[in-house]
Amino acid sequence: MKTIGVLTSGGDSPGMNAAVRGVLRAAFHHGLSVCGIRQGYKGLLHEDIVPMKPYMAGGIVHRGGTILKTARCLEFKEENMQKKAADILRKHHIDGLVVIGGDGSLKGAEALYRQGISVVTLPGTIDNDMPGTDETIGFDSAVNTVLQAVHKIRDTASSHDRAAVVEVMGRHAGHIALAAGLACGAEYILVPEVPFSREKLAVSLEEQMKAGRTNSIVICAEGADDGRALGMWLKERTDIDICMTNLGYVQRGGEPTARDAILGGVLGASAVEALTVHGFTHHVVGVERSRVIYTPYEQAEEKRRTFSRPLYDLAAMLGAAQDEFSIEEKF
């Protein structure tokens, strides 16, 4: 193996640049050439491929986003486009490919492997819902962004005797909502994995405020409910002053936390070793109990991170203002 390609695909996440840096530095250490593919699979199909130099790894570890740019590419789902992409990689003499991204990026990597390309995937998504790893690149940064925002929102909610509904990302997974809600002491955490009743939520909020609370925080994953619609409904249903905040794309951007910068670097370097030292051709490079692991694509689903109901139950208990409200009664 003489040349490695690297691309970032799908939604960006803090720490992607750290992973790119890890790939570059490790590849150069092993005497390999590196080609950067801009704008993910879309750029690959358009041959937006540039040779990368050692200096390009400098000063990027702390930057959010991705220097390689990223994009979604629906046409890559077509087999003829996958064959075209594989042919392009061979044309540019790219012997192995590192794909950094989420579930959609993983499916694209699997497709390239079926076309005869050696490819490994790094889990880069804030949602923390990728198979083959305990933690994804960008998750910790997103949780800390939510945490900082909620602390500020609670200050103003407390000043006005309000309840605050804060919508966070998580269409299909509630990991961000759960982790941030537990860390900030949210009174309620709404996630797509656990159905809840708006009516019971309203009753519980009213009881809490009547009992003397000056504020309540409701962390709502986007897949659990529409935060604005929920806030408006609660305003009409109760006498509580409700404020609504959708944190949106602020969760994706910004400087990665130390944890994500380290994780990106470790997995980036490990991806190069996977291709060169170990000879792996179709693996997810992740972490399990703080150890780097390499999981073949066909086995990755068995290592998908599942939602922790016990942790959710603990968060609900700790967030309850009055002990008589059980988890089932509140939600």
Side-chain angles (χ1 to χ4, degrees):
M1 188 165 292
K2 297 179 180 179
T3 303
I4 287 179
V6 57
L7 64 81
T8 52
S9 172
D12 62 304
S13 62
M16 276 187 166
N17 279 329
V20 171
R21 176 178 179 268
V23 171
L24 293 180
R25 290 283 165 84
F28 297 141
H29 174 77
H30 287 285
L32 304 173
S33 298
V34 181
C35 286
I37 302 167
R38 294 186 291 208
Q39 294 196 323
Y41 295 122
K42 177 182 177 182
L44 176 56
L45 291 174
H46 289 87
E47 295 192 57
D48 191 357
I49 301 171
V50 294
M52 302 194 77
K53 304 300 181 184
Y55 72 85
M56 293 180 178
I60 68 172
V61 67
H62 64 281
R63 290 173 54 186
T66 162
I67 63 167
L68 291 175
K69 309 294 184 180
T70 185
R72 302 189 189 278
C73 184
L74 294 178
E75 63 180 326
F76 200 76
K77 294 181 179 180
E78 302 171 14
E79 188 173 356
N80 63 318
M81 292 293 101
Q82 297 161 6
K83 183 179 184 303
K84 176 183 176 181
D87 289 341
I88 289 171
L89 289 169
R90 295 187 185 98
K91 172 184 173 182
H92 288 265
H93 307 290
I94 295 174
D95 306 306
L97 180 66
V98 178
V99 172
I100 307 169
D103 263 335
S105 305
L106 174 58
K107 289 181 173 63
E110 290 179 286
L112 286 174
Y113 168 68
R114 290 194 294 271
Q115 296 294 332
I117 301 298
S118 295
V119 55
V120 295
T121 303
L122 303 188
T125 170
I126 66 171
D127 292 326
N128 207 33
D129 61 349
M130 283 278 289
T133 189
D134 286 345
E135 190 168 346
T136 59
I137 300 166
F139 173 67
D140 187 66
S141 300
V143 170
N144 276 278
T145 295
V146 173
L147 186 61
Q148 293 167 13
V150 172
H151 286 332
K152 296 175 182 179
I153 291 168
R154 192 186 284 277
D155 286 344
T156 191
S158 178
S159 298
H160 294 271
D161 290 342
R162 289 174 177 162
V165 177
V166 183
E167 182 179 318
V168 302
M169 287 184 169
R171 187 171 290 110
H172 304 295
H175 302 303
I176 292 175
L178 176 56
L182 186 58
C184 76
E187 281 66 42
Y188 300 93
I189 302 172
L190 311 179
V191 294
E193 293 88 349
V194 183
F196 78 100
S197 163
R198 278 188 174 185
E199 182 62 30
K200 289 181 179 179
L201 174 61
V203 170
S204 182
L205 269 172
E206 285 184 315
E207 292 294 333
Q208 286 195 29
M209 300 304 272
K210 286 177 183 177
R213 286 198 62 83
T214 61
N215 64 89
S216 285
I217 298 292
V218 181
I219 300 287
C220 177
E222 60 183 321
D225 206 335
D226 181 289
R228 182 169 180 79
L230 174 61
M232 294 299 294
W233 184 88
L234 288 170
K235 269 190 175 182
E236 295 175 1
R237 168 62 180 77
T238 69
D239 293 327
I240 303 170
D241 187 5
I242 307 286
C243 61
M244 293 86 72
T245 304
N246 184 340
L247 294 181
Y249 285 100
V250 70
Q251 296 160 85
R252 285 199 186 279
E255 182 176 327
T257 60
R259 187 178 183 90
D260 274 328
I262 293 169
L263 181 63
V266 168
L267 294 187
S270 298
V272 174
E273 290 195 356
L275 289 168
T276 58
V277 178
H278 303 300
F280 294 148
T281 58
H282 61 297
H283 289 64
V284 176
V285 184
V287 288
E288 185 178 69
R289 298 179 183 177
S290 300
R291 292 173 51 251
V292 174
I293 60 170
Y294 305 93
T295 308
Y297 290 151
E298 63 270 19
Q299 298 175 17
E301 281 298 325
E302 300 172 12
K303 291 182 177 291
R304 181 176 290 277
R305 179 181 174 83
T306 57
F307 183 77
S308 175
R309 183 57 192 260
L311 191 60
Y312 174 84
D313 292 345
L314 173 63
M317 180 189 73
L318 296 178
Q322 300 181 56
D323 291 339
E324 61 265 26
F325 287 102
S326 68
I327 296 165
E328 287 74 20
E329 287 175 324
K330 276 200 302 185
F331 300 106

